[in-house]
Amino acid sequence: MDGTHAGTDAGTHAEASGGARDGTGRRLADLHAMWRIRALEEKIRELRVADGGNGDVVGSVHLCIGQEAGPVGACSELEPGDALFATYRGHGWALARGVPAESMIAELAGRESGVNGGRGGSAYFTAPEHGFHGENSIVGAGLPIAVGAALAGRFDGSGRVAMTVCGDGALNQGASHEALNMAAAFRLPVVFVCENNYWSELTPIDEMVGEPELWRRAAGYGMAGERVDGNDPAAVRAAVRAAVQRARSGEGPTLLELMTQRLVGHYIGDVEQYRRPGELDRAREEEPIARLGRSLAAEGVPAADIEDARTRAQAEIERAAEAALAAPPADPRTAKDHVYA
């Protein structure tokens, strides 16, 4: 490996390796998968703001509305034994990895049927049986953990690939640098996925770094890197497929920068006064669900098929929420179960 991989500007990867070459069935499946995430996030928001903020879901919640293409495209390239580590904006990644929606909603609502018995909540739930090794509220903390998982996979001979997701601001953390450097030095099978939504919490990334094309940092570490259209699941899938193949073949890690935007605040309740004029209008034009729907319609796919992707997803999430909320609340007396100290 020569250490760097030819990068592409956002959008060009879709034309080169996804887009029109993807079959209609595959693209409708992607649309449905993205609608499942969108419907889940909207239901969670509904449960969080209900009753003046005292609804079934409590605590700080970070949604990924607008960023659905990343998890849908990336998770389709992982094997069951691979390990995925998400951030606190990780509901979509968990759902795309196969964690049941009912268990997730129950977890966020503090029900004993939740994926972690109602103890993890929105920001800390984990489901290793689905290859989802948890969210993390410490910015950038998922990167060194993923490097550890990849190193352990080398020792145990599992052939495991570790994928970790972070935001654009997280790449400025010291622990992130250490993780990237160690993964490159040991040629570990890690795929670093940076979801660049332009906002590091409430601060624009272009005011925090001298080089806003974050994928270019990969060359400094001696690893492959690429900027990808993060609103196109086909483009994400193609880039992740190459990165996973590189990892499994012993060629080391890859840094992928997915260009996307969140259509909601950093957290539920964020008044978003920092938004720039016209930014959200432009983001809504480019958000992945609307964009793929327009593309399918332009190709002659019947409107009923496109609409079916939405209605099936919303019906599934409504059923999941009803079942989740019917479960009994977690027993506070079990709060210290599984605590080791």
mmCIF file of all heavy atoms in Angstrom, residues 96 130 155 183 229 254 299:
data_model
loop_
_atom_site.group_PDB
_atom_site.id
_atom_site.type_symbol
_atom_site.label_atom_id
_atom_site.label_comp_id
_atom_site.label_asym_id
_atom_site.label_seq_id
_atom_site.Cartn_x
_atom_site.Cartn_y
_atom_site.Cartn_z
ATOM 1 N N ALA A 96 -29.578 0.016 11.650
ATOM 2 C CA ALA A 96 -29.021 -0.529 10.407
ATOM 3 C C ALA A 96 -28.190 -1.780 10.661
ATOM 4 O O ALA A 96 -28.053 -2.634 9.787
ATOM 5 C CB ALA A 96 -28.168 0.539 9.710
ATOM 6 N N HIS A 130 -25.633 -8.196 18.153
ATOM 7 C CA HIS A 130 -25.869 -7.724 16.784
ATOM 8 C C HIS A 130 -24.617 -7.046 16.194
ATOM 9 O O HIS A 130 -24.710 -6.378 15.156
ATOM 10 C CB HIS A 130 -27.039 -6.730 16.767
ATOM 11 C CG HIS A 130 -28.356 -7.361 17.136
ATOM 12 N ND1 HIS A 130 -29.084 -8.121 16.253
ATOM 13 C CD2 HIS A 130 -29.049 -7.359 18.301
ATOM 14 C CE1 HIS A 130 -30.189 -8.552 16.846
ATOM 15 N NE2 HIS A 130 -30.194 -8.111 18.085
ATOM 16 N N PHE A 155 -5.231 -10.997 17.624
ATOM 17 C CA PHE A 155 -4.736 -12.004 18.567
ATOM 18 C C PHE A 155 -5.618 -13.249 18.593
ATOM 19 O O PHE A 155 -5.132 -14.370 18.734
ATOM 20 C CB PHE A 155 -4.647 -11.416 19.975
ATOM 21 C CG PHE A 155 -3.569 -10.381 20.127
ATOM 22 C CD1 PHE A 155 -3.733 -9.294 20.966
ATOM 23 C CD2 PHE A 155 -2.373 -10.491 19.423
ATOM 24 C CE1 PHE A 155 -2.741 -8.335 21.106
ATOM 25 C CE2 PHE A 155 -1.380 -9.541 19.547
ATOM 26 C CZ PHE A 155 -1.562 -8.457 20.393
ATOM 27 N N ALA A 183 -3.465 2.616 14.650
ATOM 28 C CA ALA A 183 -4.067 1.728 13.650
ATOM 29 C C ALA A 183 -3.204 1.667 12.390
ATOM 30 O O ALA A 183 -3.019 0.592 11.792
ATOM 31 C CB ALA A 183 -5.474 2.196 13.313
ATOM 32 N N ASP A 229 -19.762 11.179 -0.771
ATOM 33 C CA ASP A 229 -21.090 11.784 -0.688
ATOM 34 C C ASP A 229 -21.888 11.018 0.378
ATOM 35 O O ASP A 229 -22.413 9.939 0.114
ATOM 36 C CB ASP A 229 -21.791 11.699 -2.036
ATOM 37 C CG ASP A 229 -23.172 12.355 -2.022
ATOM 38 O OD1 ASP A 229 -23.665 12.684 -0.920
ATOM 39 O OD2 ASP A 229 -23.748 12.544 -3.108
ATOM 40 N N THR A 254 -8.598 2.647 7.070
ATOM 41 C CA THR A 254 -9.049 3.665 6.119
ATOM 42 C C THR A 254 -9.820 4.737 6.877
ATOM 43 O O THR A 254 -10.553 4.429 7.816
ATOM 44 C CB THR A 254 -9.986 3.047 5.060
ATOM 45 O OG1 THR A 254 -9.300 2.018 4.353
ATOM 46 C CG2 THR A 254 -10.459 4.097 4.056
ATOM 47 N N GLU A 299 -36.718 8.065 -12.770
ATOM 48 C CA GLU A 299 -36.420 6.871 -13.556
ATOM 49 C C GLU A 299 -37.677 6.088 -13.912
ATOM 50 O O GLU A 299 -37.600 5.038 -14.559
ATOM 51 C CB GLU A 299 -35.465 5.967 -12.773
ATOM 52 C CG GLU A 299 -34.096 6.589 -12.566
ATOM 53 C CD GLU A 299 -33.255 5.787 -11.585
ATOM 54 O OE1 GLU A 299 -33.612 4.630 -11.310
ATOM 55 O OE2 GLU A 299 -32.265 6.338 -11.079
#
